[in-house]
Amino acid sequence: MGFENGGMSSLEDLIDKAGGCAVIDGGFATQLESHGASINDPLWSALCLIKDPDLIKKVHLEYLEAGADILVTSSYQATIPGFLSRGLSLEEGQSLLKKSVKLAVEARDKFWDAKGSVPGNSYNRALVAASIGSYGAYLADGSEYSGCYGPEVNLDKLKDFHRRRLQVLVEAGPDLLAFETIPNKLEAQACAELLEEENIQIPSWICFSSMDGENAPSGESFMECLDILNKSEKVTAVGINCAPPHFVESLVCKFKQLTTKAIVVYPNSGEIWDGRAKKWLPSKCFGDDKFETVATRWRDSGAKLIGGCCRTTPATIRTISKALKEKS
């Protein structure tokens, strides 16, 4: 399946349909909590796959209503080792991974059945991106923000960690894959090599976090990190997620110089997550009105996919969607 036909072109088609910049959804855990879910747990949003799947579908629908062109599944911290550590069987863990995709696809189809045929509607048929969180997200010790996995974690260990989850998620039929909060070059390389080894035929993006607005959390330069990804035809887009929003514009400009791939950005609201204390610290925060201003700047700087990560809401996504449509 080439880029010009079928799977790999679906993301490019969506970007075109959206006027050159498509909208990703926003914070998932934040929205689940606003509906009363308690997710202070290493499995985070994945816990709701077990406890309250209907709520997950509801949140997906809220983001579609707000104008999201891409739904990211609730599988960021859903890993097979994580589920096994909670006493679930391998089959149950794999079934929950598939469920994360199924719920997003069902929400997308339900929404499109209702809205797609309405004359003059402003929506695009959304794509479902299966979320694949970094190894650090599974460890739940904050290492996705430091990139320090220790000397015993090598390329093969990272590939082995990701492989089965990748296979199961792809079998479930998402439109694309989203590798999220990758903190170092080694894990980016592991993800890119896995896509080749498994001969994945759907688009994927690989997003890094950044704590200083200059480099990957590991301290490695984005030039080093992107050099590896630029060589892979299986990686469709690259970018930044889960970083403070005030870093985004300069990072988009930097990425624009380092890659010809589509650039994707979905930052946090600007609040800081304390990975050890497991709580949000009050800090310089972007309100939705600020996102309205910066979303068009990010697009004009070269971003092709824009959304929100932690502590952003459907209101944020509505603002971003509206701003991009009005000023395209």
Side-chain angles (χ1 to χ4, degrees):
M1 195 183 286
F3 218 91
E4 65 289 343
N5 64 340
M8 287 298 185
S9 66
S10 59
L11 187 59
E12 293 201 324
D13 289 348
L14 177 69
I15 291 168
D16 286 345
K17 272 193 206 121
C21 187
V23 178
I24 305 168
D25 62 10
F28 213 84
T30 310
Q31 198 56 13
L32 290 172
E33 285 179 322
S34 76
H35 288 301
S38 170
I39 44 181
N40 188 9
D41 183 279
L43 291 183
W44 222 16
S45 305
L47 195 65
C48 273
L49 285 167
I50 304 169
K51 289 187 164 177
D52 200 347
D54 287 344
L55 185 54
I56 286 179
K57 210 155 148 184
K58 179 177 180 165
V59 170
H60 284 319
L61 285 163
E62 286 172 338
Y63 277 117
L64 290 167
E65 194 74 52
D69 298 311
I70 295 178
L71 289 180
V72 180
T73 64
S74 53
S75 49
Y76 175 72
Q77 270 174 314
T79 64
I80 290 167
F83 286 138
L84 292 175
S85 73
R86 295 300 292 269
L88 275 72
S89 69
L90 181 62
E91 291 69 28
E92 286 168 329
Q94 292 183 167
S95 160
L96 285 170
L97 283 172
K98 287 185 176 170
K99 192 175 189 178
S100 71
V101 175
K102 187 167 170 275
L103 290 168
V105 167
E106 284 172 1
R108 185 267 313 276
D109 291 348
K110 178 180 178 181
F111 184 79
W112 191 242
D113 286 348
K115 304 279 185 180
S117 57
V118 176
N121 86 81
S122 61
Y123 296 104
N124 299 304
R125 182 178 179 275
L127 297 182
V128 170
S131 168
I132 299 174
S134 61
Y135 181 62
Y138 152 66
L139 296 175
D141 62 358
S143 58
E144 71 267 48
Y145 304 116
S146 70
C148 300
Y149 288 165
E152 70 289 348
V153 177
N154 58 22
L155 192 64
D156 285 339
K157 177 160 183 167
L158 288 170
K159 285 201 278 197
D160 289 344
F161 167 74
H162 282 296
R163 192 180 306 272
R164 186 62 194 137
R165 172 169 55 161
L166 175 77
Q167 292 167 339
V168 171
L169 287 169
V170 170
E171 282 165 18
D175 301 298
L176 62 146
L177 299 173
F179 293 92
E180 303 188 299
T181 61
I182 301 299
N184 54 37
K185 184 175 83 173
L186 187 69
E187 191 163 18
Q189 182 181 348
C191 296
E193 288 186 14
L194 255 188
L195 292 169
E196 296 287 348
E197 287 170 20
E198 298 296 323
N199 194 23
I200 300 304
Q201 297 294 334
I202 55 174
S204 66
W205 73 58
I206 294 182
C207 279
F208 297 89
S209 39
S210 179
M211 304 313 286
D212 62 1
E214 289 287 326
N215 303 298
S218 58
E220 293 160 313
S221 74
F222 284 121
M223 181 185 271
E224 291 174 76
C225 295
L226 293 181
D227 194 39
I228 285 172
L229 302 185
N230 285 336
K231 297 183 181 108
S232 169
E233 287 181 12
K234 300 283 188 191
V235 179
T236 318
V238 292
I240 295 288
N241 79 296
C242 215
H246 48 275
F247 291 157
V248 168
E249 193 172 351
S250 64
L251 284 169
V252 171
C253 294
K254 185 189 283 261
F255 274 46
K256 193 83 183 127
Q257 294 171 330
L258 298 173
T259 188
T260 56
K261 294 185 186 293
I263 296 169
V264 46
V265 290
Y266 48 117
N268 298 334
S269 67
E271 289 171 73
I272 305 291
W273 174 249
D274 183 333
R276 299 211 175 275
K278 305 234 182 318
K279 66 177 185 183
W280 289 98
L281 305 174
S283 61
K284 197 168 93 181
C285 188
F286 271 39
D288 292 340
D289 53 340
K290 182 77 168 161
F291 270 100
E292 182 177 2
T293 315
V294 294
T296 50
R297 291 221 305 263
W298 298 343
R299 180 202 52 207
D300 296 344
S301 300
K304 297 281 186 197
L305 296 146
I306 296 175
C309 203
C310 303
R311 311 297 275 181
T312 60
T313 67
T316 317
I317 298 312
R318 183 170 282 107
T319 300
I320 291 172
S321 173
K322 197 159 167 271
L324 293 175
K325 283 193 173 92
E326 278 176 5
K327 296 168 187 166
S328 58

